[in-house]
Amino acid sequence: MKARSVVMTIVVCLAGLSLSFAQNPQMGTWKLNEAKSKIPAGANKNTTVTYAEDGDNVKITTEGTAGDGSAMKTEWTGKFDGKDYPVTGDPSADTRSYKKVNDHTLALENKKGGAVTVSGRIVVSADGKSRTVNVTGKDAAGKKVTSKAVYEKQ
């Protein structure tokens, strides 16, 4: 009886451990650390980003400010498979794609009318406490613009 209890306890612990390793490190709510970020004036700034499971998809919601300082909220639901899925709330994009590079890295592309407007990488730190988003795009004048946003997990 005692041996069976010990074995069951070990099985439950191992099952919980394997589930925690299987969880995507991108999931959760992330807050922008402006002191560590380098976002050019006039660029969109996402102050809060939330990744949540939505059935067999992922739903990503961002809140922040547009380049003109007005409030902005975007929503995207899809898979990390590199395919374009609709995005709402972003005037510079009508679709977005994410592709899993490895367990801690995603590649992203925003498109407007089928043309890439922004591309970048999202990397979650090994300890899972921060993530860095490096993106490249073009401003209204067609000049190349890059930004680095650092987020901390909440």
Side-chain angles (χ1 to χ4, degrees), residues 64-81:
T65 55
D68 63 4
S70 62
M72 186 171 92
K73 179 178 180 178
T74 69
E75 290 187 2
W76 176 92
T77 302
K79 297 180 183 346
F80 296 153
D81 59 6

Side-chain angles (χ1 to χ4, degrees), residues 29-50:
T29 299
W30 301 88
K31 296 280 186 188
L32 180 67
N33 182 327
E34 292 194 50
K36 293 182 179 179
S37 300
K38 295 179 183 173
I39 302 172
N44 293 347
K45 184 178 359 178
N46 295 326
T47 53
T48 304
V49 180
T50 304

Side-chain angles (χ1 to χ4, degrees), residues 11-12 16 22 25 27-28 31 33 36 45 47 52 58 82-83 91 95 99 118 120 122-123 128 134-135 140:
V11 168
V12 170
M27 295 301 185
K31 296 280 186 188
N33 182 327
K36 293 182 179 179
K45 184 178 359 178
T47 53
V58 176
K83 295 179 183 176
T95 65
K99 184 175 182 179
V118 171
I122 303 166
V123 180
N134 289 298
V135 296

Side-chain angles (χ1 to χ4, degrees), residues 5 25 29 39 54 92 113 123 127 130 136 147 150-151:
S5 295
T29 299
I39 302 172
D54 187 23
S92 66
V123 180
D127 66 7
S130 66
T136 303
S147 72
V150 178
Y151 294 86

